[in-house]
Amino acid sequence: MKKVIFLSVVMALVACSRQQQVPMSYPVAEWDKAGEILMHTPWEELFDGVAHPAAGLFEGYFDVDVAAQEHRNYAKMLEKNGIRVHFVTEIFAEMGIDTLQMLAANCLKYDISDFHDGDSAKSEEYKQQIISQMSRYDLMRCILLRPTVRLHQTDNNTCVEAEYIHRPLMNLYFTRDQSITTPRGHIICRMNSSQRAAETDIIEMCYHHLGTSPVLRIEGEGRLEGGDYIPAGTIALIGQGMRTNDEGIRQIMAADAFGHDTVVVVRDHKRWQMQMHLDTHFNIIDRDLCTMVRSRLEAKPGEPEYNTCDIYVRAPGEKEYRLWQSDLSFVEFIRARGMQIIPIDEADELHYANNFLTIAPRHIMAVDGQSEAYQQRLREAGVRVEWIPLESLIDGYGAAHCMTQVLKRQCN
């Protein structure tokens, strides 16, 4: 009886999502036509990350100049599809100089702790003097590199020497992570890694510059990263695992910031860096078509790769969600929605085959270099693929989906 009710509710949700007809707006479903995207082409801040990839949250070393060119080429491919791309550095360039100076002043630190009679007020005055003389590009460098100048007194030359330490935003180019964009609007995340925390301030600032105010910011013990959220019409799919926790999800539901009638919490029991977010092992191409890495698709109950899900629902007109069912098979839930699942084999998975961006129904931007078998599965499903060369950028532990925050989509 429970299974019959479950299938009935799921199919009703699918029918509701098919009836939605809205103009270009905040994303309602991952398969809707993309209209505007926020991206950040990596700049000088990337070098510190590749100098020690593991500490930079990267998979391995890669050439930063080649990576930046790959990113520019990817953005051009998006623009050729009629998508407007907003770049973080272009937003910086449009900002008032006073705003940039304020941001830079918060990022530049003078450490005078080694001074016996250090005058902090005088040091701050000197810093502000330097900030006031900086060019716009040096202010941008300051914001992205976040330097600390550790000062030491000496008897030589200017009587002061320094060590220069950067706390760079080397992961900022993964603009999927710092926020999620729901039918309600933008939600500013709280990153799982402290070294990425400052990225959220930059992205929030970008939203304000673009004329929109985020509807929520995750606080306290909450953790949320954008790669764990996939909108699917009346349904929100949200991963809970390495990077997003229950408290972060609870805050969104409590604030009624999802804008979906049903929230499906997909629980990751493996906690593996290669599959850190939901979009690394599951993705959506159309309302009836998705992908899943084979290890998750074929996992048995009790195995780490076996994804379960909890379903929260609310009645029309209500704001509060209630737990409807828990510990369901995520694969069965997806199939019950009438979705065909294209399996992704391990070799393709490790080449980020699942981390594609859907820009329209059955039209995706995906990492080049996948197996012929996977390409054939996509062709048989009627998927149009634009293959993107991203050989350097993917060594940062992310790909086409991770590098984009879709701001607006056209609901079909």
Side-chain angles (χ1 to χ4, degrees):
M1 183 64 178
K2 268 191 173 182
K3 187 172 183 181
V4 172
I5 295 173
F6 171 61
L7 289 172
S8 298
V9 172
V10 169
M11 296 314 294
L13 292 172
V14 174
C16 287
S17 68
R18 286 175 178 167
Q19 292 169 4
Q20 292 180 341
Q21 295 290 333
V22 296
M24 192 73 71
S25 63
Y26 294 126
V28 173
E30 190 76 7
W31 56 79
D32 292 330
K33 182 175 173 57
E36 295 186 27
I37 290 176
L38 178 65
M39 301 181 76
H40 171 63
T41 299
W43 205 27
E44 296 173 26
E45 78 281 358
L46 198 56
F47 176 74
D48 286 32
V50 301
H52 193 298
L57 305 180
F58 296 154
E59 187 175 0
Y61 169 79
F62 54 95
D63 187 312
V64 297
D65 293 318
V66 173
Q69 187 58 53
E70 287 176 351
H71 194 279
R72 285 189 287 268
N73 292 340
Y74 177 25
K76 288 177 181 176
M77 292 174 70
L78 291 169
E79 290 171 333
K80 286 181 180 178
N81 280 280
I83 298 169
R84 181 177 181 184
V85 179
H86 301 275
F87 296 96
V88 171
T89 49
E90 287 184 357
I91 292 173
F92 281 158
E94 294 169 359
M95 285 181 175
I97 196 70
D98 291 345
T99 302
L100 279 182
Q101 288 174 342
M102 178 188 68
L103 289 168
N106 289 333
C107 294
L108 175 60
K109 308 294 182 185
Y110 285 175
D111 181 354
I112 59 170
S113 58
D114 282 353
F115 280 46
H116 300 300
D117 55 349
D119 186 334
S120 58
K122 188 174 181 181
S123 177
E124 180 64 21
E125 180 182 350
Y126 185 73
K127 185 181 82 171
Q128 293 296 338
Q129 178 186 343
I130 300 304
I131 291 286
S132 69
Q133 298 175 67
M134 284 188 180
S135 69
R136 182 174 291 271
Y137 277 101
D138 281 344
L139 291 170
M140 291 163 60
R141 289 185 176 96
C142 203
I143 294 166
L144 294 173
L145 293 173
R146 302 174 69 235
T148 292
V149 184
R150 183 171 294 168
L151 297 158
H152 307 282
Q153 287 177 306
T154 71
D155 295 328
N156 298 326
N157 303 318
T158 59
C159 298
V160 63
E161 293 179 352
E163 299 171 66
Y164 299 88
I165 302 167
H166 291 168
R167 296 161 295 136
L169 302 182
M170 57 266 194
N171 286 274
L172 185 62
Y173 76 96
F174 293 127
T175 50
R176 175 69 51 169
D177 292 342
Q178 305 89 358
S179 65
I180 68 174
T181 304
T182 75
R184 288 278 191 264
H186 308 301
I187 297 173
I188 303 301
C189 296
R190 186 168 174 80
M191 312 301 287
N192 189 55
S193 172
S194 59
Q195 72 189 55
R196 297 195 66 184
E199 297 175 31
T200 58
D201 295 331
I202 299 299
I203 296 303
E204 183 172 10
M205 172 200 68
C206 289
Y207 287 143
H208 285 295
H209 183 79
L210 292 172
T212 181
S213 296
V215 296
L216 178 69
R217 185 173 183 126
I218 303 301
E219 301 288 353
E221 295 302 312
R223 295 293 181 272
L224 174 70
E225 295 195 6
D228 279 317
Y229 169 69
I230 299 176
T234 58
I235 296 175
L237 297 170
I238 182 78
Q240 185 276 323
M242 282 189 71
R243 304 292 185 89
T244 296
N245 65 10
D246 282 318
E247 173 59 18
I249 298 169
R250 186 201 66 77
Q251 289 183 30
I252 305 173
M253 289 196 287
D256 189 25
F258 269 123
H260 302 270
D261 293 332
T262 301
V263 175
V264 179
V265 179
V266 184
R267 298 196 176 277
D268 174 17
H269 306 285
K270 186 170 184 177
R271 310 293 179 97
W272 179 36
Q273 172 68 13
M274 191 66 194
Q275 297 176 353
M276 72 192 88
H277 294 135
L278 180 61
D279 67 359
T280 62
H281 52 90
F282 171 80
N283 210 339
I284 292 181
I285 299 175
D286 204 344
R287 66 176 71 251
D288 60 352
L289 184 65
C290 64
T291 59
M292 189 179 293
V293 300
R294 192 177 292 278
S295 62
R296 301 278 181 164
L297 180 60
E298 298 178 352
K300 301 294 188 293
E303 295 179 348
E305 292 84 359
Y306 185 79
N307 281 346
T308 59
C309 62
D310 299 339
I311 302 176
Y312 293 81
V313 298
R314 63 178 183 183
E318 292 186 359
K319 290 186 176 180
E320 291 187 7
Y321 292 89
R322 62 180 178 83
L323 178 62
W324 179 55
Q325 284 192 307
S326 62
D327 204 32
L328 297 173
S329 163
F330 180 56
V331 172
E332 288 183 14
F333 172 80
I334 292 300
R335 284 177 170 155
R337 288 197 72 214
M339 298 190 80
Q340 175 191 349
I341 303 175
I342 296 176
I344 296 178
D345 296 323
E346 183 179 17
D348 291 323
E349 173 198 349
L350 295 177
H351 203 67
Y352 296 84
N354 192 75
N355 200 257
F356 54 81
L357 175 68
T358 299
I359 62 171
R362 278 177 160 72
H363 185 179
I364 66 174
M365 314 289 286
V367 178
D368 196 13
Q370 308 304 332
S371 70
E372 177 56 33
Y374 177 56
Q375 293 183 48
Q376 181 61 26
R377 292 179 198 131
L378 292 171
R379 285 193 293 267
E380 290 173 354
V383 181
R384 177 187 173 192
V385 186
E386 295 189 50
W387 299 104
I388 320 162
L390 294 175
E391 287 304 309
S392 293
L393 282 171
I394 60 175
D395 282 331
Y397 269 130
H401 196 258
C402 293
M403 297 173 203
T404 58
Q405 180 65 221
V406 181
L407 307 181
K408 292 184 179 180
R409 286 185 183 269
Q410 173 69 58
C411 188
N412 296 288

